[in-house]
mmCIF file of all heavy atoms in Angstrom:
data_model
loop_
_atom_site.group_PDB
_atom_site.id
_atom_site.type_symbol
_atom_site.label_atom_id
_atom_site.label_comp_id
_atom_site.label_asym_id
_atom_site.label_seq_id
_atom_site.Cartn_x
_atom_site.Cartn_y
_atom_site.Cartn_z
ATOM 1 N N TYR A 442 129.171 130.208 98.021
ATOM 2 C CA TYR A 442 130.654 129.976 98.039
ATOM 3 C C TYR A 442 131.016 128.524 97.638
ATOM 4 O O TYR A 442 131.742 128.289 96.707
ATOM 5 C CB TYR A 442 131.250 130.304 99.420
ATOM 6 C CG TYR A 442 132.727 129.995 99.478
ATOM 7 C CD1 TYR A 442 133.652 130.859 98.903
ATOM 8 C CD2 TYR A 442 133.174 128.935 100.186
ATOM 9 C CE1 TYR A 442 135.020 130.570 98.985
ATOM 10 C CE2 TYR A 442 134.543 128.643 100.349
ATOM 11 C CZ TYR A 442 135.483 129.492 99.642
ATOM 12 O OH TYR A 442 136.762 129.186 99.827
ATOM 13 N N LYS A 443 130.374 127.548 98.277
ATOM 14 C CA LYS A 443 130.733 126.122 98.062
ATOM 15 C C LYS A 443 130.256 125.633 96.745
ATOM 16 O O LYS A 443 130.978 124.926 96.003
ATOM 17 C CB LYS A 443 130.111 125.269 99.173
ATOM 18 C CG LYS A 443 130.403 123.779 98.979
ATOM 19 C CD LYS A 443 129.776 123.032 100.132
ATOM 20 C CE LYS A 443 130.047 121.484 99.929
ATOM 21 N NZ LYS A 443 129.437 120.708 101.068
ATOM 22 N N LYS A 444 129.010 126.111 96.297
ATOM 23 C CA LYS A 444 128.532 125.491 95.060
ATOM 24 C C LYS A 444 128.776 126.337 93.796
ATOM 25 O O LYS A 444 128.536 125.821 92.693
ATOM 26 C CB LYS A 444 126.931 125.387 95.216
ATOM 27 C CG LYS A 444 126.597 124.294 96.365
ATOM 28 C CD LYS A 444 125.096 124.207 96.450
ATOM 29 C CE LYS A 444 124.765 123.180 97.634
ATOM 30 N NZ LYS A 444 123.328 123.020 97.834
ATOM 31 N N LEU A 446 131.532 129.294 93.829
ATOM 32 C CA LEU A 446 132.864 129.858 93.842
ATOM 33 C C LEU A 446 134.025 128.884 94.154
ATOM 34 O O LEU A 446 135.072 128.943 93.488
ATOM 35 C CB LEU A 446 133.002 131.026 94.857
ATOM 36 C CG LEU A 446 131.975 132.217 94.658
ATOM 37 C CD1 LEU A 446 132.119 133.174 95.803
ATOM 38 C CD2 LEU A 446 132.158 132.809 93.258
ATOM 39 N N ASN A 447 133.734 127.891 94.992
ATOM 40 C CA ASN A 447 134.820 126.882 95.363
ATOM 41 C C ASN A 447 134.130 125.583 95.651
ATOM 42 O O ASN A 447 133.882 125.276 96.761
ATOM 43 C CB ASN A 447 135.568 127.415 96.545
ATOM 44 C CG ASN A 447 136.747 126.609 96.864
ATOM 45 O OD1 ASN A 447 137.031 125.584 96.231
ATOM 46 N ND2 ASN A 447 137.506 127.028 97.867
ATOM 47 N N ARG A 448 133.907 124.851 94.589
ATOM 48 C CA ARG A 448 133.152 123.522 94.759
ATOM 49 C C ARG A 448 133.948 122.540 95.586
ATOM 50 O O ARG A 448 133.301 121.543 96.053
ATOM 51 C CB ARG A 448 132.869 122.948 93.328
ATOM 52 C CG ARG A 448 131.892 123.835 92.564
ATOM 53 C CD ARG A 448 131.611 123.206 91.182
ATOM 54 N NE ARG A 448 130.759 123.998 90.391
ATOM 55 C CZ ARG A 448 129.416 123.870 90.456
ATOM 56 N NH1 ARG A 448 128.839 123.004 91.239
ATOM 57 N NH2 ARG A 448 128.645 124.669 89.670
ATOM 58 N N HIS A 449 135.192 122.669 95.657
ATOM 59 C CA HIS A 449 136.085 121.666 96.422
ATOM 60 C C HIS A 449 136.494 122.313 97.764
ATOM 61 O O HIS A 449 137.484 121.852 98.348
ATOM 62 C CB HIS A 449 137.288 121.335 95.592
ATOM 63 C CG HIS A 449 136.849 120.742 94.264
ATOM 64 N ND1 HIS A 449 136.282 119.523 94.105
ATOM 65 C CD2 HIS A 449 137.056 121.258 92.984
ATOM 66 C CE1 HIS A 449 136.117 119.206 92.772
ATOM 67 N NE2 HIS A 449 136.500 120.302 92.086
ATOM 68 N N ALA A 450 135.746 123.183 98.304
ATOM 69 C CA ALA A 450 136.109 123.845 99.570
ATOM 70 C C ALA A 450 136.103 122.780 100.676
ATOM 71 O O ALA A 450 135.246 121.953 100.818
ATOM 72 C CB ALA A 450 135.138 125.022 99.899
ATOM 73 N N SER A 451 137.102 122.962 101.602
ATOM 74 C CA SER A 451 137.273 122.073 102.716
ATOM 75 C C SER A 451 136.370 122.604 103.777
ATOM 76 O O SER A 451 135.734 123.634 103.718
ATOM 77 C CB SER A 451 138.720 122.111 103.219
ATOM 78 O OG SER A 451 139.069 123.410 103.705
ATOM 79 N N GLU A 452 136.210 121.795 104.842
ATOM 80 C CA GLU A 452 135.322 122.177 106.006
ATOM 81 C C GLU A 452 135.853 123.476 106.654
ATOM 82 O O GLU A 452 135.173 124.411 106.887
ATOM 83 C CB GLU A 452 135.307 121.081 107.012
ATOM 84 C CG GLU A 452 134.646 119.810 106.594
ATOM 85 C CD GLU A 452 133.158 120.018 106.454
ATOM 86 O OE1 GLU A 452 132.551 120.432 107.362
ATOM 87 O OE2 GLU A 452 132.617 119.760 105.340
ATOM 88 N N ALA A 454 137.606 125.796 105.211
ATOM 89 C CA ALA A 454 137.457 126.914 104.226
ATOM 90 C C ALA A 454 135.910 127.368 104.321
ATOM 91 O O ALA A 454 135.724 128.621 104.192
ATOM 92 C CB ALA A 454 137.738 126.481 102.781
ATOM 93 N N LEU A 455 135.001 126.533 104.417
ATOM 94 C CA LEU A 455 133.637 126.892 104.584
ATOM 95 C C LEU A 455 133.391 127.719 105.831
ATOM 96 O O LEU A 455 132.662 128.686 105.771
ATOM 97 C CB LEU A 455 132.711 125.611 104.600
ATOM 98 C CG LEU A 455 132.477 124.873 103.251
ATOM 99 C CD1 LEU A 455 131.627 123.675 103.456
ATOM 100 C CD2 LEU A 455 131.674 125.874 102.390
#
Side-chain angles (χ1 to χ4, degrees):
Y442 175 76
K443 180 180 179 180
K444 297 181 179 178
L446 301 178
N447 187 358
R448 294 180 181 274
H449 303 290
S451 65
E452 293 290 305
L455 281 176

